[in-house]
Amino acid sequence: MQWQAGVWLGQFDAMASPCEVLLALPRDQAGLANTLARLAAEEVWRIETRYSRYRQDNVFTTLHDRPDEPQRVDPETARLLNFADQAWQLSDGQFDLTSGLLRKAWTFDRSDRIPDPRLVESLLPFIGWQRLNWVSDQADAEGQIGGGWLTLPKGLELDFGGIGKEYAADRALGMCLMAIPTQWRQSGILINLGGDLACNGPRGGREPWRVGIEPTDSDTTGALTLQLTRGGLATSGDASRYLMRDGKRYSHLLNPLTGWPVESAPRSVTVAAPSCIQSGLVASLAMLKGTMARAFLTETGLPHWVVDG
């Protein structure tokens, strides 16, 4: 932990991103700051371990080891699947956790290597949320869900990367709030997972957090600085993940219905919402709207910032 600019700063790496925990605690609370930062990091690592497709000993692997068989899932996974189902419905099928399979065709490394259309076409039969069978338990009187039943057809693959980091930011904040003593609860906590943010309130209960948004190469104004007092903030864009071919830029944001990048999408969309996972969803949905992104964001009524191409 470091004491920096009047806050305690803890740093760690997770989900292929640099991460931070900022705590507006007094300087003499180093022990508490260390405890909270450790709890936040451990929660993020737990979620990464649980749902990473790169491991062979986790929930992700278990779900995919038994295709075409009904499987009982735990409450946490059920909540994520319910959120994914709602997102799929809200987006008319464009936000789809089964679309990660398209990485077999697309590598967004700023090169000019556009995939063979036949390869993209061959993947489409294995993409589509509507192809799996998900039945959630009903919520109890307290709104809790005990689990649910999932059947994944052979060849389909879930990719929790589309919501994992935002979910982890909210969870890390929640862990800190459960552990912090009452007298410090209003001090201010900010979780930053590679630009996906969650906070419980202003610094020291008074000053907003000042956060910078990574500029795109088309944004000549430089980094955008925003003030965040509560809730979540997330950005969707192609600052570093894109292809360029014959003067045309191909964004990493893919339409799962076609297998190809969304046309005429903004370069970047940043959204503030009550939670980080909500912010990330709305920012992604706006990007998927292409030329209608601004109109969609206006309809949500949420604070937002857009950088056009």
Side-chain angles (χ1 to χ4, degrees):
M1 294 293 293
Q2 307 173 47
W3 176 257
Q4 183 175 304
V7 298
W8 285 104
L9 169 65
Q11 297 175 305
F12 62 99
D13 291 322
M15 300 182 177
S17 300
C19 304
E20 297 177 333
V21 181
L22 292 94
L23 303 157
L25 292 169
R27 194 165 188 172
D28 62 2
Q29 293 297 314
L32 176 58
N34 271 295
T35 297
L36 296 177
R38 185 181 70 252
L39 285 173
E42 288 175 350
E43 180 66 0
V44 175
W45 289 330
R46 180 192 71 81
I47 294 168
E48 180 177 27
T49 298
R50 204 160 198 263
Y51 296 105
S52 171
R53 68 173 182 267
Y54 301 109
R55 298 180 64 96
Q56 301 300 314
D57 58 350
N58 61 3
V59 169
F60 177 89
T61 299
T62 300
L63 291 176
H64 293 81
D65 274 349
R66 293 165 51 195
D68 297 320
E69 294 183 29
Q71 299 183 67
R72 182 69 179 169
V73 306
D74 61 87
E76 181 174 46
T77 304
R79 290 193 298 270
L80 288 173
L81 291 174
N82 281 340
F83 184 85
D85 184 58
Q86 292 172 357
W88 178 77
Q89 295 183 50
L90 286 171
S91 67
D92 295 324
Q94 287 189 299
F95 190 98
D96 192 326
L97 288 199
T98 71
S99 64
L101 203 62
L102 288 168
R103 68 181 178 276
K104 293 185 176 182
W106 294 91
T107 301
F108 293 96
D109 56 3
R110 306 187 189 187
S111 69
D112 64 351
R113 293 189 292 271
I114 305 301
D116 187 327
R118 291 172 296 182
L119 174 58
V120 176
E121 188 70 23
S122 71
L123 296 173
L124 294 182
F126 303 100
I127 295 171
W129 183 263
Q130 74 280 5
R131 302 176 192 276
L132 58 78
N133 187 358
W134 164 240
V135 180
S136 173
D137 290 356
Q138 294 296 315
D140 62 20
E142 298 178 350
Q144 299 300 310
I145 296 172
W149 289 93
L150 175 69
T151 305
L152 273 177
K154 186 175 182 179
L156 253 70
E157 181 180 301
L158 291 172
D159 186 347
F160 291 95
I163 57 176
K165 195 161 37 168
E166 295 92 340
Y167 171 68
D170 289 330
R171 283 286 307 175
L173 177 63
M175 294 297 289
C176 290
L177 291 175
M178 285 191 292
I180 194 169
T182 303
Q183 66 265 36
W184 303 121
R185 186 154 294 182
Q186 302 304 318
S187 297
I189 304 169
L190 176 68
I191 308 294
N192 177 7
L193 305 187
D196 291 325
L197 311 175
C199 80
N200 70 318
R203 291 177 51 168
R206 298 181 303 275
E207 298 181 26
W209 297 94
R210 296 176 63 84
V211 298
I213 305 301
E214 181 183 9
T216 65
D217 55 20
S218 68
D219 185 4
T220 58
T221 62
L224 177 66
T225 301
L226 305 176
Q227 294 186 346
L228 183 64
T229 56
R230 190 178 303 276
L233 190 77
T235 299
S236 181
D238 67 353
S240 58
R241 297 180 60 201
Y242 61 88
L243 298 175
M244 186 71 75
R245 179 77 168 269
D246 297 330
K248 181 177 180 179
R249 188 184 184 102
Y250 294 81
S251 167
H252 78 281
L253 203 70
L254 298 169
N255 183 339
L257 304 177
T258 65
W260 287 82
V262 175
E263 295 281 347
S264 303
R267 295 295 308 283
S268 172
V269 171
T270 300
V271 175
S275 68
C276 189
I277 198 169
Q278 290 173 310
S279 300
L281 174 61
V282 174
S284 295
L285 292 181
M287 293 287 288
L288 288 164
K289 295 291 183 180
T291 58
M292 300 301 294
R294 287 182 181 274
F296 167 77
L297 289 166
T298 299
E299 288 181 4
T300 69
L302 295 171
H304 59 270
W305 300 262
V306 179
V307 177
D308 292 313

